[in-house]
Amino acid sequence: MKKSILAVAVAAILISCGPKPAAVSLFNGKDLNGWTAVLEDSTLHPSTEFTVEDGAISLSGKFGYIRTEIPYADYRLNAEWRWPDSATNSGIFLHIQRDGIWPNCYE
């Protein structure tokens, strides 16, 4: 019994000391590859509403959001944003359950 407890403890230590997954950068600062847009007005084209300017994602002001194409879990999110004087609302949605205006999620 003591040997099996010791074996489990050693295995847990070895697993926790193993290599950590590499950090994933969600935004490359150049384009929106890997992202998909959800807009309230379906007649609008996402490429005209969401653009990349000076290494930052810019929104035209219409109701909508962009999300990663791949879902993520067990993560640490680091983000920087700036709020121009003309902005009315901004945020980060986490754990979107279903697309739509406005999704059920944490903001």
Side-chain angles (χ1 to χ4, degrees):
M1 179 72 169
K2 288 182 182 180
K3 288 183 180 179
S4 62
I5 292 173
L6 179 62
V8 169
V10 169
I13 290 170
L14 291 174
I15 290 170
S16 67
C17 294
K20 303 294 181 207
V24 174
S25 180
L26 300 179
F27 177 56
N28 64 17
K30 300 175 186 172
D31 55 41
L32 294 173
N33 286 338
W35 293 83
T36 188
V38 177
L39 291 163
E40 181 179 45
D41 184 347
S42 62
T43 64
L44 300 174
H45 196 274
S47 66
T48 60
E49 302 306 312
F50 297 94
T51 56
V52 177
E53 299 173 11
D54 300 323
I57 299 170
S58 181
L59 172 62
S60 68
K62 307 295 186 220
F63 287 120
Y65 59 92
I66 56 173
R67 64 168 175 80
T68 58
E69 292 174 346
I70 301 171
Y72 293 92
D74 191 21
Y75 57 85
R76 182 180 314 174
L77 175 67
N78 296 308
E80 293 181 32
W81 71 87
R82 55 184 174 220
W83 189 298
D85 292 334
S86 61
T88 58
N89 192 359
S90 182
I92 296 174
F93 292 160
L94 301 173
H95 300 283
I96 295 174
Q97 300 300 311
R98 183 176 19 181
D99 284 332
I101 305 293
W102 290 108
N104 183 18
C105 62
Y106 294 105
E107 181 178 3

